Amino acid sequence: MATKKVDVMETKAAEKAETKKAETAKKAEAAKKVVTEKVVEPAKKAAAKTAEVAKKATTEAKKTVAKVTEKKAKVVLQFAGKEINTEDIVAAAKKAYASDNKAAVKELTVYVKPEDNAAYYVVNGTVTGKVEL
């Protein structure tokens, strides 16, 4: 009979230990969930945001460097006692195009013909026109 009592006590102790173990596992799982929700997920979001901001900053820096390092050349056409700045010709061609068209200038080709005292332009490969020098 003493053995039966000991077996019952051991069984109860084992059940109690299993219950404690299950409770501890539940608490650990709950703590893990809280840490994930409160720490890990916000940290992931912050890291993603930081990476996005860094990427934008890098892109802007590259654009700025490109603008700073871009060298401008000035071309002046001299013909028959006249001096004509090519930048002025390009500006006049864009202005003439814009007066008749609403589409943006994506590509502009200008052909200067001093003997006609004119510059002919082609915008976006289709629209043509003429400006006086």
Side-chain angles (χ1 to χ4, degrees):
M1 199 175 251
T3 320
K4 245 185 179 182
K5 227 179 192 184
V6 170
D7 287 341
V8 170
M9 287 175 66
E10 285 177 352
T11 304
K12 285 184 179 180
E15 287 174 356
K16 196 174 185 180
E18 280 296 318
T19 305
K20 281 255 187 210
K21 186 177 177 182
E23 288 175 4
T24 304
K26 283 182 184 179
K27 286 180 183 178
E29 190 61 37
K32 182 178 177 183
K33 185 178 179 183
V34 168
V35 168
T36 300
E37 290 174 354
K38 301 284 183 181
V39 177
V40 175
E41 291 302 320
K44 283 182 181 178
K45 288 179 183 177
K49 183 82 172 173
T50 301
E52 183 181 324
V53 169
K55 184 177 179 182
K56 284 182 182 179
T58 302
T59 303
E60 290 299 317
K62 285 180 182 177
K63 287 179 184 177
T64 303
V65 168
K67 286 180 182 178
V68 170
T69 58
E70 183 180 288
K71 305 247 188 248
K72 295 238 177 182
K74 183 176 181 180
V75 179
V76 177
L77 176 67
Q78 291 181 329
F79 180 77
K82 291 184 182 179
E83 279 195 359
I84 303 165
N85 186 336
T86 56
E87 290 174 355
D88 295 341
I89 297 170
V90 170
K94 285 181 180 179
K95 184 176 178 183
Y97 170 79
S99 68
D100 295 332
N101 301 282
K102 294 189 189 288
V105 176
K106 295 178 182 174
E107 182 181 331
L108 172 66
T109 305
V110 179
Y111 301 91
V112 179
K113 200 165 178 189
E115 61 268 17
D116 290 351
N117 197 36
Y120 301 91
Y121 61 88
V122 179
V123 178
N124 300 337
T126 57
V127 181
T128 60
K130 173 184 173 183
V131 290
E132 298 292 325
L133 296 179

